[in-house]
Amino acid sequence: MARDARYDILFEPVRIGPVTARNRFYQVPHCDGMGHRRPKAEAASRAVKAEGGWAVICTQECEIHPSGEVTPSVEARLWDDKDIPALALMTEAVHRHGALAGIELVHNGPSSANRYSREVPLGPSHQPAGRYDPVQARAMDLTDIRAYRQWHRAAARRAKLAGFDLVYVYAGHDLSLPMHFLQRRRNNRSDEYGGSLENRARLLREVIEDTKEEVGDTCAVAVRIAVDELLGPEGITSEGEGRDVIAMLAELPDLWDVNVSDWDNDSLTSRFGPEGGQEPFTAFVKKVTSKPVVGVGRFTSPDTMVSQIKRGVLDFIGAARPSIADPFLPKKIEEGRLEDIRECIGCNICVTGDRFAAPIRCTQNPTMGEEWRKGWHPEEVPGKSTDESVLIVGAGPAGLECARTLGERGYEVHLAEAGTDLGGRVVLESHLPGLSAWIRVRDYRIQQLTKLTNVQIYRDSRLTPEHVHEFGAAHVVIATGGAWRRDGVGRANWQAVPGLDRAGVFTPGDIMAGAQPEGPIVVYDDDHYYMGGVLAEKLRAEGHDVTLVTPAHSASAWTDYTLELAHIQKRLLEIGVTIVANQRLATMQVDHAELACVYTGTRSLVPCASLVTVTARLPNDDLYRALIANGDALKDAGIGSVTAIGDALAPSTIAAAVYAGHSYARALGTNPDGKVAFKREFPG
Ligand code: ADP
Ligand code: SF4
């Protein structure tokens, strides 16, 4: 299919200094947990995006010196010449698909605790370093500043040798020395690098000039800068110094890559902000420079992209997450296949890879991070290896993805769902406050399934073992999901909590099914991801007095890894939810919950009429257990295998369920044990 002429503007080439991007799709720097430790995986992952049509593909942060390293994160590294070959793998792979390769050179200054190198961190002034590390950065003297500039020059030279087309000077995200020098709160120097904005911007200017001088003949020099830190007058603002510094240096770099900071504001989840949400902060940039401007905003809609270009907000559609969820997004627009776009849901599971120094993963795209080690491609699957049929029971994320992938492979697939709606847990959860974009997990898959004539879908079909036997498919996949526990068992309580068998006790499943608890309500969150916080928000919005009790140090503690923790605390506090931390539920009485301090065991009471227990889930595996208990019946029915996947095996994230469905479908007929083998990278 030809693309719609409305989108032609997105495919215009754009010049960036000495190089030209083939279109306006630009994968901005983003971390992926692979970096210098897994360079082959890194190269393969970035290459797939180049193949998918992105014109520019950037690395993640690339450390330029051991005095500014990001351990435990594993990002890119260019400390000396020995680091060049690993990065050259990426540039070669990206170039093979006609894209430009960009590198984000970084010295993290006082944002680094240098946990690996043990070097003393550096900063514009003496200040604490790292996160909560008991480590300080020392104030750089003029010799240190000269040394830093030399490190940056050397890294730029090496980047050019590694084959990069764009070299970044980084001043984003409350990270990197040029930003730290800009920030009044961090910089209280009295020399020519402190005081006035001009002085505080001196280092940024010098490093841009150095980089241009060093590699600017063949490489474009890009600046990534946070134009607003969303800290009000305490920080850089787009109406104040953010605007002034860009105006001051407007024509110096070849490209401005602009965003808001900190990272949790830049990579805002869909729960807290819409597509294109950075426009109010970044729109001024194009008015003060003639250089091309790239910005991000979780762009997945081509109409929004066109609007950004036509209205003069951006020249390039920057993307990290949309390129992760769909590496082929540009190609799909180019080929007029909009219905095939796998839209990012804005959940930030991808961010957790960096946080855990593990290969990136994505809720929507189960192949992300698996391109090299498992040989998975986001748009291609191997053909079927037999003519066997597969019955999948349950059409949640696991069942839908399994059916889609098996269908793509050419298998005869039968997908049976107990309910009328397909989508399982995402149907219910997408009705919770802020989670509406999560329905894209279902929508993308249903859209794809409609094209597969070899996949039959049966709604309103709750299958029993007898049904499964009658069906007689060669393989049976049980994707029947899980259900929230009612007994309070979780991480803090290993035994059932006394008193939870009474009226007035609800699970998240009850609330999502429409139960109306009476207030005041205690939400007991021993799950620690989004559910406890989101239910507290919902019940509070319905007018109840809500207390969120958690054995953790804060509400939704795991969301620290998805960059949502601070946003969640703020929202809950602002709407009037009381947060009681470090307490486990001890017993439930008629009109109160009894809590125990997780440190001292000291008891306290919270009056409440209802309790919502958000602790853990159990697999819905009755069907699975019944089937595998009767091997003879399976044999008589000609059923060769029965496999539980996703929440039906062990409840986890939606990302894990999608991955499980995909993984099963890839392995069928190719791996005798049903597991997908993966390659590892070894040093040297
Ligand atoms: P997952 O995240 O593992 O995909 P979900 O809980 O989202 O799990 O989805 C499981 C789906 O399975 C639900 O839509 C549910 O209605 C369906 N289901 C559960 N038991 C049966 C059954 N016996 N027959 C058909 N469908 C079932
Ligand atoms: Fe988007 Fe979630 Fe995938 Fe990240 S993990 S790219 S936020 S869908």
Side-chain angles (χ1 to χ4, degrees), residues 345-376:
I345 69 166
C347 63
N348 279 6
I349 282 292
C350 48
V351 170
T352 65
D354 181 64
R355 292 296 172 97
F356 299 139
I360 188 169
R361 60 214 54 198
C362 167
T363 299
Q364 278 284 59
N365 175 10
T367 69
M368 179 45 56
E370 308 295 355
E371 300 84 354
W372 181 82
R373 68 174 185 168
K374 294 191 181 138
W376 289 0

Side-chain angles (χ1 to χ4, degrees), residues 182 194-202 236 240-245 248:
L182 265 182
S196 67
L197 178 64
E198 200 179 351
N199 279 358
R200 281 180 284 118
R202 186 176 309 280
I236 307 281
E241 293 193 335
R243 178 182 293 259
D244 296 343
V245 76
M248 197 187 283

Side-chain angles (χ1 to χ4, degrees), residues 392-401 415-429 458 460-465 467-468 478-483 617 620-624 645-658 660-661:
I392 301 168
V393 188
L400 285 174
E401 175 63 14
L415 174 62
E417 164 54 46
T420 307
D421 284 336
L422 307 179
R425 60 187 284 194
V426 296
V427 176
L428 296 169
E429 293 184 20
Y458 312 91
D460 301 309
S461 303
R462 179 172 293 281
L463 299 197
T464 61
H467 292 133
V468 174
I478 305 295
T480 46
R617 287 178 293 151
N620 291 331
D621 59 0
D622 292 351
L623 178 61
Y624 174 67
I645 65 166
D647 293 343
L649 180 65
S652 183
T653 56
I654 297 169
V658 170

